[in-house]
Amino acid sequence: EVQLVESGGGLVQPGGSLRLSCAASGFTFSSHAIHWVRQAPGKGLQHVSAISSNGRNTYSADSVKGRFTISRDNSKNTLYLQIGSLRAEDTAVYYCARGYDSSGLIDYWGQGTLVTVSS
Amino acid sequence: DIVLTQIPLFLSVTPGQPASISCRSSQSLLHSDGKTYLYWYLQKPGQSPQLLIYEVSNRFSGVPDRFSGSGSGTHFTLKISRVEAEDVGVYYCMQSIQLLTFGGGTKVEIK
C-alpha cells in the first residue's frame, strides 16, 4: 500500500522557517517524482514544488521561488521541503503527492501537514 | 499559466440522480504525443484529494463505474451517473501539459 506521511508543520512567525518532511513507503520511492501541493484554509489546491526521481531536477512555483527548497533522500525514502521567509499567505495544509510517471499525473496523496504563519 | 475554470461552483444533488461538472481550459490540453493531460480528483470532507480520472476518461483503480470523464481540447466533463452519499466533497480538475494547475473546485452536496 502506497503511504505518504507528512510531518514538520506548526505555528511559525512571519519571516520564520520550517522543514517539512514526507516519509514514503509501499513503493519504490527512487522511481517516482514527488510533488508538494498546498491548500490554504477553505481554498483550492496550488502546486508548490516538485522534484524528479533522482533529485536532479526541481521546480518551484513563482510564489515560493527563492524561499522554498525541495530535496529528497532516496536512501531514507524521504522528501523534504525547506520553507523560509514565511508570510501569512503561506498558511496552508501542505500535501506531498506521488507522481505516477513523467506526465505529471499525481496518483497518491499524503494526509497533509498544517503550516500556520502568524505572530 | 493555464487556467482551468470549473462550472458550477456548487452542486446540490438528490441521491440516485446524475451530476455533471464542467472544466474549461484556457489552452488545449492535447499533447503532441496524442494524450490529453486532464485529470479529476475528489477531496472528501476532512481528507486529502484522491484521483478519480486520468487522461480525460480513464478511471483510476477502485473508482466506481458511475464516474466517467469525457471531453477534448479545452472542454471537459466529469459525470456521476447516480450520486451516492459518499460522493460528497469538492471535485477538482487538474492539467499537467504545462506545469500543474488545478481548477477552482466544485462542491457537491446531497439534498
Side-chain angles (χ1 to χ4, degrees), chain A residues 3 29 32 37 41 47-48 54 59 66 86-87 96 100 108 115:
Chain A
Q3 287 200 334
F29 182 71
H32 291 263
V37 178
H47 187 229
V48 172
N54 60 15
Y59 160 81
L86 285 165
R87 310 164 180 166
C96 72
Y100 174 73
Y108 291 98
V115 172

Side-chain angles (χ1 to χ4, degrees), chain B residues 4-41:
Chain B
L4 299 179
T5 302
Q6 289 184 231
I7 299 172
L9 298 181
F10 181 79
L11 206 50
S12 183
V13 187
T14 301
Q17 293 300 302
S20 180
I21 300 169
S22 170
C23 177
R24 294 192 175 188
S25 174
S26 60
Q27 298 179 36
S28 175
L29 302 183
L30 174 63
H31 194 273
S32 57
D33 64 8
K35 296 180 180 179
T36 301
Y37 293 103
L38 186 281
Y39 316 92
W40 290 97
Y41 295 86

Side-chain angles (χ1 to χ4, degrees), chain B:
Chain B
D1 289 5
I2 293 178
V3 176
L4 299 179
T5 302
Q6 289 184 231
I7 299 172
L9 298 181
F10 181 79
L11 206 50
S12 183
V13 187
T14 301
Q17 293 300 302
S20 180
I21 300 169
S22 170
C23 177
R24 294 192 175 188
S25 174
S26 60
Q27 298 179 36
S28 175
L29 302 183
L30 174 63
H31 194 273
S32 57
D33 64 8
K35 296 180 180 179
T36 301
Y37 293 103
L38 186 281
Y39 316 92
W40 290 97
Y41 295 86
L42 165 59
Q43 186 173 30
K44 296 183 178 182
Q47 296 185 19
S48 55
Q50 57 189 80
L51 176 64
L52 295 176
I53 302 286
Y54 63 96
E55 293 171 16
V56 180
S57 59
N58 299 285
R59 277 188 301 277
F60 188 54
S61 174
V63 175
D65 60 8
R66 64 179 180 273
F67 290 93
S68 64
S70 62
S72 64
T74 61
H75 289 47
F76 305 94
T77 302
L78 175 70
K79 292 183 179 178
I80 311 173
S81 59
R82 294 173 304 279
V83 173
E84 297 186 5
E86 65 181 22
D87 301 335
V88 299
V90 181
Y91 290 78
Y92 294 95
C93 56
M94 186 193 87
Q95 66 80 26
S96 68
I97 196 172
Q98 184 186 103
L99 303 178
L100 298 186
T101 55
F102 294 88
T106 296
K107 186 173 185 178
V108 173
E109 74 158 24
I110 298 296
K111 281 184 181 176

Side-chain angles (χ1 to χ4, degrees), chain A residues 1-113:
Chain A
E1 179 191 5
V2 172
Q3 287 200 334
L4 299 161
V5 180
E6 301 92 335
S7 61
L11 175 63
V12 59
Q13 291 188 338
S17 62
L18 283 175
R19 188 176 81 158
L20 308 183
S21 299
C22 172
S25 61
F27 65 101
T28 304
F29 182 71
S30 59
S31 296
H32 291 263
I34 308 289
H35 303 261
W36 286 100
V37 178
R38 70 183 180 183
Q39 185 171 38
K43 301 297 185 182
L45 301 166
Q46 180 191 16
H47 187 229
V48 172
S49 194
I51 188 166
S52 61
S53 57
N54 60 15
R56 292 176 189 165
N57 298 300
T58 62
Y59 160 81
S60 291
D62 287 344
S63 58
V64 306
K65 202 165 289 184
R67 302 188 299 121
F68 290 13
T69 302
I70 190 171
S71 62
R72 66 191 295 163
D73 185 338
N74 285 349
S75 69
K76 295 182 178 179
N77 289 350
T78 302
L79 174 76
Y80 303 100
L81 187 67
Q82 182 71 39
I83 59 176
S85 302
L86 285 165
R87 310 164 180 166
E89 55 264 35
D90 295 319
T91 294
V93 174
Y94 286 74
Y95 296 102
C96 72
R98 188 181 84 161
Y100 174 73
D101 58 17
S102 60
S103 70
L105 166 61
I106 289 176
D107 56 357
Y108 291 98
W109 301 63
Q111 87 289 348
T113 187

